[in-house]
Amino acid sequence: MPPQILDRRALNRALLARQLLLERRRSSAAATIEHLVGMQAQAPNLPYVGLWSRLQGFHHQELSRLIETRAAVRMSLMRNTIHLVTARDALGMKPLFMPLGERGYMRGSPWGRDMRDADMAAIRRAGSEILGEKPRTIAQLAKLLAQRFPQHDGPTMAYGVRYMEPLVFTPPRGLWGGRGLVTLTTFEKWLGRPPGPAFHLDDLARRYLAAFGPASAADMRLWSGLAMRETFERLRPRLKVFRNEQGAELFDLPRAPRPDPSLPVPVRLLPDFDNILLAHADRTRILPPGKHLGMFSSNGVMQGSVLLDGFVRAMWVPARGGLVITPFDQPIPKSERHEVIEEASRLLDFLTPGEKHDVRFGPVKS
């Protein structure tokens, strides 16, 4: 039998089911973060909105408490970008991604080109020692490293440590409403031990499919930055195989949910750069054809995407007194606006409880 073909809507509904976006779930923040295999946290408040979109009765304090008690941490992980993960996942996942940091610094960054003849092992040890004393900023680390290695540029060395050593970002940034400088410290200082043992890539692949499948090896590589073809071939006998409309092979867990493509779905508001937008090489299962992540330009302002019928059809941006909903390509029909307003109002109650606000629709953005 040839593999079943899954069209765009079938892939969309499967993704929404696994991302807990068909209906809000009663679950803890920690369990949800692990189910999602981490949450994009480049801006500290993004995971709060992502959890609010997926969970019943989620409160800011639940996640802030996890970060305060070190049960959850922000760290560089997939694609060398900042993610929020539980401490258990931090210890098991970080070893898999440390080679990405080293390659990213030595080969892919402007700093690495100037450090090829440097004793990076000594610099890394010194940086780890300095950050293990107490959390410090990159600027503070650069100054102290320059005192020990005056023949090299301080910031260049500091970013080498930032990329290549196992570090975590420390509060108060990451707490809801937390303010302060961006500071880092070592795994040993914050979590009590170095990272490891590493999770097996087979297990990580299964977790990825549970959260983002059906998907290809190329999809997981884009999401993670890791080469995954051998892993998927090794798992092939235990996976279901499908194809998309373009003929690409997709893998999935045999019992994972794949809802009816015609299933109606609720309006959802997601944070800027939610991982649902970053998990596939072909993003048309969630984004409009021809659109890309460049349509979100936050300039440091929290914003995000609006899912209508399961697809990104607009963006939301806070404005004085409320939210502005800006559609892409065509206006949101009046018949759909009421549900958008209700969901946006709930988000405003979460972001600014007790304040008066309204929801407005901006002009179409092409």
Side-chain angles (χ1 to χ4, degrees):
M1 292 287 293
Q4 178 184 350
I5 294 175
L6 300 177
D7 64 17
R8 183 176 177 236
R9 290 185 66 88
L11 293 172
N12 174 267
R13 280 2 186 207
L15 179 60
L16 296 179
R18 297 161 204 220
Q19 288 288 307
L20 317 182
L21 293 169
L22 294 181
E23 58 181 355
R24 284 181 166 92
R25 176 179 291 188
R26 286 192 177 276
S27 183
S28 69
T32 303
I33 294 165
E34 289 196 349
H35 168 76
L36 297 172
V37 206
M39 302 184 75
Q40 186 79 17
Q42 205 77 4
N45 286 338
L46 298 184
Y48 291 86
V49 178
L51 290 170
W52 168 86
S53 300
R54 293 168 166 92
L55 298 180
Q56 293 184 32
F58 171 70
H59 297 287
H60 317 89
Q61 295 85 350
E62 183 182 359
L63 179 52
S64 288
R65 188 162 53 249
L66 288 176
I67 295 171
E68 284 180 313
T69 60
R70 309 185 186 190
V73 294
R74 293 170 61 239
M75 54 185 281
S76 293
L77 208 57
M78 285 75 80
R79 307 178 305 278
N80 278 329
T81 58
I82 301 173
H83 282 74
L84 173 78
V85 293
T86 63
R88 176 168 52 188
D89 274 357
L91 293 164
M93 292 175 71
K94 186 61 177 177
L96 298 176
F97 294 95
M98 286 181 63
L100 286 183
E102 184 167 351
R103 288 199 302 272
Y105 178 77
M106 296 304 297
R107 302 179 192 175
S109 76
W111 306 291
R113 290 192 294 268
D114 299 327
M115 300 297 289
R116 288 173 183 166
D117 296 327
D119 186 350
M120 286 304 304
I123 293 169
R124 289 172 61 176
R125 285 194 300 270
S128 182
E129 176 189 326
I130 291 166
L131 294 176
E133 293 170 352
K134 66 177 184 179
R136 287 184 162 99
T137 66
I138 288 292
Q140 291 165 343
L141 174 61
K143 182 177 179 180
L144 293 171
L145 284 172
Q147 293 172 3
R148 298 195 187 191
F149 304 93
Q151 69 274 31
H152 297 299
D153 177 68
T156 298
M157 291 187 288
Y159 278 103
V161 175
R162 157 80 171 78
Y163 270 73
M164 298 164 71
E165 284 295 297
L167 306 174
V168 300
F169 292 88
T170 55
R173 288 181 67 85
L175 305 179
W176 182 256
R179 298 288 186 270
L181 299 173
V182 179
T183 55
L184 297 118
T185 192
T186 63
F187 264 60
E188 291 93 330
K189 180 71 173 181
W190 199 252
L191 297 178
R193 62 186 178 91
F199 291 158
H200 197 286
L201 273 179
D202 290 12
D203 295 328
L204 186 66
R206 282 188 283 261
R207 288 182 62 185
Y208 167 79
L209 290 175
F212 300 104
S216 66
D219 288 327
M220 187 172 176
R221 178 169 186 167
L222 184 138
W223 169 79
S224 65
L226 303 174
M228 297 301 303
R229 187 170 300 280
E230 288 185 8
T231 300
F232 275 75
E233 288 302 325
R234 187 167 55 248
L235 290 173
R236 181 185 286 273
R238 285 165 279 170
L239 299 176
K240 290 202 70 166
V241 180
F242 300 92
R243 290 193 182 274
N244 64 17
E245 292 176 294
Q246 291 72 43
E249 195 172 52
L250 304 175
F251 298 91
D252 204 7
L253 302 176
R255 297 184 180 181
R258 290 178 288 274
D260 185 333
S262 65
L263 180 74
V265 298
V267 171
R268 288 288 183 258
L269 274 64
L270 297 176
D272 198 5
F273 298 113
D274 189 280
N275 269 350
I276 196 173
L277 307 177
L278 296 160
H280 303 91
D282 178 6
R283 293 169 176 155
T284 58
R285 71 179 69 193
I286 189 72
L287 286 169
K291 297 295 183 184
H292 53 82
L293 295 179
M295 62 189 180
F296 300 107
S297 179
S298 63
N299 296 319
V301 177
M302 178 185 284
Q303 61 179 37
S305 57
V306 181
L307 302 187
L308 291 171
D309 189 31
F311 297 94
V312 176
R313 293 260 307 279
M315 63 186 297
W316 59 266
V317 180
R320 181 174 297 179
L323 283 184
V324 174
I325 308 294
T326 302
F328 298 129
D329 295 333
Q330 58 186 353
I332 296 174
K334 290 184 178 180
S335 60
E336 299 179 28
R337 290 191 174 194
H338 178 70
E339 190 179 356
V340 174
I341 292 171
E342 284 191 335
E343 185 70 358
S345 297
R346 284 190 283 267
L347 176 58
L348 284 166
D349 288 339
F350 176 78
L351 295 175
T352 55
E355 295 185 15
K356 292 183 178 180
H357 45 243
D358 65 359
V359 178
R360 305 186 293 277
F361 290 87
V364 172
K365 180 178 181 180
S366 59

